[in-house]
């Protein structure tokens, strides 16, 4: 594998993802409308009920709309990760995945390129959302919009790898919608996206611990701190570990299968 | 065998050697055997027809040759490189047209070619030039800006072949490339690919269940229930069975009452 070949392949994969995304205007709109509904309807309704404690990274009182912003950004990336994996299942059913997997580059590199390309798309969606949120008055510190880019990359990769792992296990398109519901909604609601975990602990200790072991919680916390120019090392460590595990398992899941057990031999690692 | 820094195999290095060598390959899905000790070779400039009925194991063999699956026993060598041990380098000299369509329907003809060229590491300028050439050869130049969804079945197959030739492979695999096409289009595709073997010395493995796509001088590998029954020139098979043509010879070899039945 030469560096130039690898770079051109990544550029080609990313361009294809962007072209497909631009053509799917409905996908772009739904990626915006979904979190905006949460922000402009749900959050406004809950503003007077939900008391947000002053806790890091916040140094002063914030409105509920500002509190939920990182969670809604995480939601965009979570949905995009699942959408991207759905696209991989679709590509497999339509045959175009074969073109990718017969490219003379290491398979792990092709999968990581595909993952990175979908993260680029998700980050574009995030900034479109943040712009609309800013217009409606839900604003973050100005430096946070820049400081969050590395965090968005890491969280996008982790959530995309989760979707890729799912797509490696799901063989048929029609099975995917159900699985998405079993992943997206528990991941979102069992996290700190909508409420501080201190509130959850006061209400239910078992649910609090479920939220704590949910990688999405730590993705949201990583973003929350990053939007205030800070790093939550604990969240970063957990998100990176989850990324390594999910991505490793996804690459293994896409490894060519040996025909026949027990004599089947996997392909040599590249 | 020498491989350059880009993983491509130099043409001079592989002259006189089989471009594709399938050596005693066996494969099973769980307990169901699909291929049993299959061997075949494709030389430079050779047209080898893999003739077998539906379910004979042709597509599985293509999956093994392209590294999408791994053989239980045996090995596949492309330009001398084992697909098991040096998958990426081996795939460098290979062009493939799968039985299942693999084009992106929502992208244009040019975008599909550009995507594939990038995966193969071609520089954008080279990709544009070669794209223009292969589209001209396959009479698709005026459809360059059209979405693939708008193309007919025959045009899509031609585009798949154009794409497979974009990186100038030394070996071309085509799995049932004429399925669903009318007779004139089928004939034109067969002639075009035969021309590639003569003009560019590309080795071709053409999987089909249609004996009329095979010419007398073509090498024919008859695959039946996952085993190679015969590997000979088409005209030799006809002579051996005493049949009137290859289609009847194939029926003699694989039908009820044959030794293979």
């Amino acid at each position: 594998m030469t560096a130039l070949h690898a770079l051109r392949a990544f550029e080609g994969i990313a361009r294809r993802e962007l072209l497909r995304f631009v053509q799917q205007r409905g996908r772009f709109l739904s990626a915006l409308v979904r979190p905006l509904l949460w922000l402009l309807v749900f959050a406004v309704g809950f503003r007077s009920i939900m008391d947000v404690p002053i806790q890091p990274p916040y140094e002063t009182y914030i409105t509920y709309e500002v509190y939920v912003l990182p969670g809604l950004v995480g939601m965009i990336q979570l949905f995009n990760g699942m959408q991207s994996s759905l696209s991989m299942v679709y590509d497999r059913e339509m045959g175009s995945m074969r073109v990718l997997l017969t490219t003379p580059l290491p398979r792990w590199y092709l999968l990581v390129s595909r993952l990175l390309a979908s993260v680029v798309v998700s980050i574009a969606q995030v900034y479109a959302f943040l712009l609309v949120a800013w217009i409606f008055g839900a604003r973050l510190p100005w430096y946070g919009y820049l400081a969050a880019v590395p965090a968005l990359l890491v969280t996008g990769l982790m959530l995309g790898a989760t979707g890729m792992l799912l797509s490696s296990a799901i063989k048929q398109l029609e099975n995917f919608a159900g699985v998405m519901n079993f992943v997206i909604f528990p991941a979102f609601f069992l996290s700190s996206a909508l409420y501080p975990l201190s509130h959850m602990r006061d209400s239910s200790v078992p649910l609090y611990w479920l939220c704590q072991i949910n990688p999405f919680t730590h993705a949201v916390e990583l973003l929350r701190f990053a939007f205030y120019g800070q790093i939550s090392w604990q969240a970063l460590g957990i998100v990176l570990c989850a990324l390594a595990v999910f991505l490793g398992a996804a690459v293994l899941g896409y490894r060519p299968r040996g025909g026949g057990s027990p004599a089947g031999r996997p392909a040599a690692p590249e | 065998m020498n491989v350059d820094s880009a993983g491509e195999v130099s043409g001079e290095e592989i002259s006189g050697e089989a471009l594709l060598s399938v050596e005693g390959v066996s494969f099973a899905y769980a307990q169901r055997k699909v291929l049993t000790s299959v061997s075949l070779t494709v030389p430079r400039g050779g047209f080898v027809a893999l003739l077998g009925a539906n379910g004979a194991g042709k597509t599985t063999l293509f999956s093994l040759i392209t590294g999408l699956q791994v053989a239980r026993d045996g090995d596949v060598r492309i330009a001398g490189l084992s697909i098991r041990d040096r998958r990426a380098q081996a795939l460098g000299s290979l062009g493939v047209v799968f039985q299942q369509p693999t084009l992106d329907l929502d992208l244009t003809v040019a975008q599909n070619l550009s995507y594939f060229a990038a995966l193969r590491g071609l520089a954008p300028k080279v990709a544009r030039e070669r794209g223009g050439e292969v589209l001209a050869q396959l009479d698709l130049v005026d459809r360059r800006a059209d979405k693939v969804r708008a193309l007919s079945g025959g045009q899509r197959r031609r585009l798949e072949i154009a794409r497979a030739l974009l990186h100038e492979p030394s070996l071309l695999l085509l799995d049932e490339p004429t399925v669903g096409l009318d007779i004139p289009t089928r004939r034109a595709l067969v002639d075009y690919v035969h021309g590639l073997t003569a003009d560019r010395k590309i080795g071709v493995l053409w999987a089909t269940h249609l004996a009329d796509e095979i010419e007398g001088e073509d090498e024919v590998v008859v695959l039946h229930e996952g085993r190679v029954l015969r590997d000979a020139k088409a005209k030799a098979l006809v002579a051996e069975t005493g049949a009137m043509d290859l289609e009847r010879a194939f029926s003699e070899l694989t039908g009820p009452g044959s030794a293979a039945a």
Side-chain angles (χ1 to χ4, degrees):
Chain A
M1 173 170 76
T2 66
L4 190 59
H5 182 176
L7 198 64
R8 283 180 181 147
F10 171 69
E11 187 262 335
I13 292 168
R15 192 173 57 227
R16 176 176 182 260
E17 282 297 297
L18 284 170
L19 277 171
R20 285 164 62 105
F21 180 69
V22 169
Q23 287 173 353
Q24 296 168 346
R25 291 186 186 84
R27 183 178 159 194
F28 182 69
L29 276 179
S30 69
L32 272 184
V33 168
R34 192 182 304 116
L36 283 173
L37 273 175
W38 281 93
L39 182 69
L40 303 176
V41 180
F42 179 86
V44 170
F46 270 66
R47 185 196 296 161
S48 58
I49 303 169
M50 193 67 79
D51 173 32
V52 181
I54 299 174
Q55 62 182 33
Y58 308 115
E59 293 172 347
T60 181
Y61 171 77
I62 52 155
T63 63
Y64 183 60
E65 290 98 307
V66 171
Y67 176 82
V68 295
L69 268 183
L72 297 180
V73 166
M75 177 205 244
I76 292 171
Q77 292 197 301
L78 179 64
F79 267 93
N80 187 76
M82 295 301 136
Q83 184 81 39
S84 174
S85 60
L86 175 66
S87 163
M88 289 187 81
V89 175
Y90 178 81
D91 277 358
R92 199 169 53 214
E93 290 221 336
M94 294 297 112
S96 46
M97 182 59 79
R98 287 175 173 232
V99 175
L100 184 71
L101 295 182
T102 52
T103 297
L105 287 170
R107 194 169 285 220
W108 67 262
Y109 177 79
L110 296 166
L111 293 170
V112 169
S113 294
R114 176 80 194 248
L115 183 56
L116 264 174
S118 82
V119 173
V120 170
V121 168
S122 84
I123 291 177
Q125 291 174 6
V126 163
Y127 279 98
F129 164 71
L130 288 175
L131 176 65
V132 180
W134 186 85
I135 291 168
F136 281 97
R139 295 172 184 177
L140 297 162
W142 66 268
Y143 53 84
Y145 290 100
L146 286 177
V149 172
L152 284 167
L153 194 63
V154 174
T155 53
L157 284 171
M158 189 273 280
L159 296 169
T162 311
M164 186 175 278
L165 176 59
L166 283 174
S167 74
S168 72
I170 297 166
K171 301 302 174 200
Q172 288 179 318
L173 205 56
E174 53 264 34
N175 295 340
F176 207 78
V179 174
M180 280 174 74
N181 284 336
F182 278 105
V183 173
I184 289 178
F185 292 116
F188 186 60
F189 289 116
L190 285 170
S191 76
S192 59
L194 296 178
Y195 19 73
L197 289 192
S198 54
H199 285 19
M200 183 63 92
R201 187 171 47 201
D202 293 344
S203 305
S204 167
V205 172
L207 282 182
Y208 166 78
W209 282 109
L210 277 177
C211 294
Q212 280 289 5
I213 60 170
N214 177 6
F216 184 69
T217 292
H218 302 283
V220 170
E221 290 310 302
L222 183 63
L223 292 170
R224 192 184 307 283
F225 278 78
F227 280 128
Y228 285 83
Q230 300 175 37
I231 300 175
S232 166
W233 292 106
Q234 179 189 320
L236 178 63
I238 292 172
V239 170
L240 285 176
C241 284
L243 167 61
V245 170
F246 294 151
L247 184 57
V251 171
L252 281 177
Y254 272 94
R255 199 170 52 159
R257 298 283 196 276
S261 178
R265 283 186 289 164
E270 293 173 274
Chain B
M1 178 63 51
N2 285 341
V3 181
D4 68 17
S5 59
E8 302 289 342
V9 181
S10 120
E12 287 180 14
E13 291 291 330
I14 52 180
S15 59
E17 187 180 337
L19 283 177
L20 173 66
S21 174
V22 176
E23 301 162 355
V25 161
S26 298
F27 189 85
Y29 291 108
Q31 298 306 314
R32 189 171 64 87
K33 270 193 172 181
V34 181
L35 295 173
T36 305
S37 201
V38 170
S39 296
L40 61 86
T41 57
V42 177
R44 172 172 289 277
F47 186 102
V48 177
L50 182 64
L51 182 62
N54 293 332
K58 302 189 294 295
T59 298
T60 299
L61 183 57
F62 269 54
S63 290
L64 297 176
I65 295 171
T66 53
L68 290 170
Q69 289 178 304
V70 182
R72 185 182 66 182
D73 300 308
D75 200 4
V76 172
R77 291 182 176 276
I78 301 168
L81 300 167
S82 166
I83 193 78
R84 190 198 301 280
D85 301 326
R86 302 183 69 183
R87 175 189 154 275
Q89 290 95 332
L91 290 174
S93 50
L94 189 64
V96 191
V97 177
F98 290 104
Q99 180 179 9
Q100 188 186 9
T102 57
L103 296 166
D104 196 322
L105 300 181
D106 294 317
L107 299 187
T108 65
V109 168
Q111 285 167 343
N112 266 280
L113 290 183
S114 163
Y115 170 61
F116 183 78
L119 291 180
R120 291 283 165 167
L122 298 183
K125 185 170 178 284
V126 175
R128 275 193 301 276
E129 286 170 4
R130 288 203 198 152
E133 289 167 17
V134 290
L135 289 179
Q137 286 159 13
L138 287 149
D139 199 21
L140 286 167
V141 172
D142 58 340
R143 307 304 305 266
R144 182 193 286 263
D146 293 338
K147 284 196 175 174
V148 171
R149 197 177 286 283
L151 302 186
S152 68
Q155 288 168 330
R156 290 182 192 185
R157 290 316 262 175
R158 277 188 278 147
L159 177 56
E160 297 232 24
I161 293 174
R163 187 182 61 179
L165 293 171
L166 195 62
H167 59 295
E168 297 183 337
S170 51
L171 176 66
L172 186 61
L173 307 183
L174 303 105
D175 187 6
E176 304 265 13
T178 59
V179 166
L181 303 184
D182 57 36
I183 292 172
T185 311
R186 273 178 55 202
R187 195 67 253 165
L189 274 184
V190 171
D191 290 345
Y192 178 75
V193 174
H194 270 100
L196 292 175
T197 62
D199 302 339
R200 298 196 210 168
K201 299 297 175 202
I202 291 177
V204 170
L205 180 63
W206 177 286
T208 185
H209 65 278
L210 301 168
D212 64 350
E213 293 177 351
I214 301 167
E215 296 175 0
E217 288 300 321
D218 292 338
E219 193 74 19
V220 180
V221 176
V222 178
L223 191 67
H224 182 65
E225 295 179 348
R227 293 173 189 273
V228 174
L229 288 187
R230 292 289 190 284
D231 185 347
K233 294 265 187 211
K235 62 183 182 186
L237 283 179
V238 175
E240 177 196 336
T241 55
M244 287 175 63
D245 54 28
L246 185 60
E247 189 173 338
R248 289 181 176 83
F250 178 68
S251 297
E252 286 281 322
L253 289 168
T254 61
S258 67

